[in-house]
Amino acid sequence: MQGLLKLSRAIDWLNAQVGRWVIWLILASTAISAINAVVRKVFNTSSNAYLEVQWYLFAWSFLVAAGVTLLNREHVRIDVLNSRLPKKAQVWIDIVGFALFLTPLCLLVLYYTVPMTLQQYQSGEMSGNPGGLIRWPVWLALPVGFTLLMLQGWSELIKRIAFLTGDGPDPTVKAGEKSAEEELAEILRQREQGEAAEAPAAAR
């Protein structure tokens, strides 16, 4: 189990590093978009290459950041029923989801996109728009993004198995987020402090 946990930490580190740098793609896309708008308004001209690089960068930032989104538990979840279940039941639902849904989906996407990306690279296909860009760099975002997402899914799977075996902490709590027990302890501590502060005033 310890070996798997080391693998999990390595995957977490990889996606955390990706998350630190992918934000710059958003900044670059925003800057290029602003420059395009200014040039179009001031000089009444535009470039398909600059227009396409905007969505290239956005595609990369969106797809490559999927893994770090899962790492930080910022993905969309429907917790209406799940949050009312016991902790172990929640963890088992996650295990089934990562093993039987997320992993096969990622493998299916990779099965189709890797050959297509290689074909795009070998053919050197260009955009159909005048002055457009070569296509394979944006196709590459698909296999890279889904590989990172699948790896993070495996990392989360390892964490949940470790939790069930008593080898790891609760993986359903976000980093920096307090568990239900910690929140209750904090409420009780604040209540005790409030009562201690009121006691001298009442004695007067």
Side-chain angles (χ1 to χ4, degrees), residues 120-203:
Q120 292 285 333
Y121 176 76
Q122 292 169 354
S123 67
E125 180 180 339
M126 300 291 295
S127 167
N129 299 317
L133 301 176
I134 194 168
R135 283 294 190 223
W136 71 262
V138 73
W139 277 92
L140 184 60
L142 282 165
V144 171
F146 275 89
T147 297
L148 291 171
L149 177 60
M150 182 172 64
L151 289 174
Q152 191 58 49
W154 292 350
S155 173
E156 299 302 318
L157 180 62
I158 292 169
K159 293 175 193 174
R160 280 151 181 78
I161 294 174
F163 173 71
L164 292 178
T165 59
D167 294 311
D170 184 355
T172 64
V173 178
K174 292 183 182 179
E177 183 182 47
K178 295 180 180 178
S179 65
E181 293 79 7
E182 291 173 332
E183 289 181 354
L184 177 59
E186 179 67 18
I187 292 172
L188 293 175
R189 185 183 63 81
Q190 292 177 355
R191 183 176 297 175
E192 289 176 358
Q193 289 179 345
E195 291 175 351
E198 291 175 359

Side-chain angles (χ1 to χ4, degrees), residues 9 11 13 17 28 45 58 75 86 112 128 130 135 148 160 173:
R9 287 191 290 269
I11 295 172
W13 179 86
Q17 296 306 307
T45 186
F58 180 78
H75 55 293
Y112 284 106
R135 283 294 190 223
L148 291 171
R160 280 151 181 78
V173 178

Side-chain angles (χ1 to χ4, degrees), residues 22 25-26 55-67 69 141 145-146:
V22 76
L25 298 180
I26 298 291
W55 66 266
Y56 275 34
L57 292 171
F58 180 78
W60 267 91
S61 62
F62 178 81
L63 289 167
V64 176
T69 302
F146 275 89

Side-chain angles (χ1 to χ4, degrees), residues 13-166:
W13 179 86
L14 173 62
N15 271 310
Q17 296 306 307
V18 170
R20 289 180 58 188
W21 291 101
V22 76
I23 188 66
W24 294 103
L25 298 180
I26 298 291
L27 177 61
S29 179
T30 304
I32 292 171
S33 177
I35 292 171
N36 278 337
V38 171
V39 169
R40 186 166 57 250
K41 292 294 184 181
V42 175
F43 300 103
N44 195 29
T45 186
S46 184
S47 168
N48 284 327
Y50 286 120
L51 292 173
E52 289 184 3
V53 78
Q54 289 177 217
W55 66 266
Y56 275 34
L57 292 171
F58 180 78
W60 267 91
S61 62
F62 178 81
L63 289 167
V64 176
V68 73
T69 302
L70 181 58
L71 168 64
N72 293 322
R73 300 187 69 246
E74 296 293 343
H75 55 293
V76 176
R77 294 176 61 93
I78 308 300
D79 285 338
V80 176
L81 297 177
N82 188 56
S83 60
R84 300 181 182 180
L85 297 175
K87 180 64 65 175
K88 285 189 176 181
Q90 295 179 30
V91 171
W92 271 110
I93 289 173
D94 285 348
I95 288 174
V96 171
F98 291 133
L100 301 183
F101 292 94
L102 179 64
T103 296
L105 173 64
C106 290
L107 289 173
L108 184 64
V109 172
L110 291 174
Y111 176 79
Y112 284 106
T113 60
V114 169
M116 294 176 70
T117 303
L118 291 174
Q119 180 184 354
Q120 292 285 333
Y121 176 76
Q122 292 169 354
S123 67
E125 180 180 339
M126 300 291 295
S127 167
N129 299 317
L133 301 176
I134 194 168
R135 283 294 190 223
W136 71 262
V138 73
W139 277 92
L140 184 60
L142 282 165
V144 171
F146 275 89
T147 297
L148 291 171
L149 177 60
M150 182 172 64
L151 289 174
Q152 191 58 49
W154 292 350
S155 173
E156 299 302 318
L157 180 62
I158 292 169
K159 293 175 193 174
R160 280 151 181 78
I161 294 174
F163 173 71
L164 292 178
T165 59

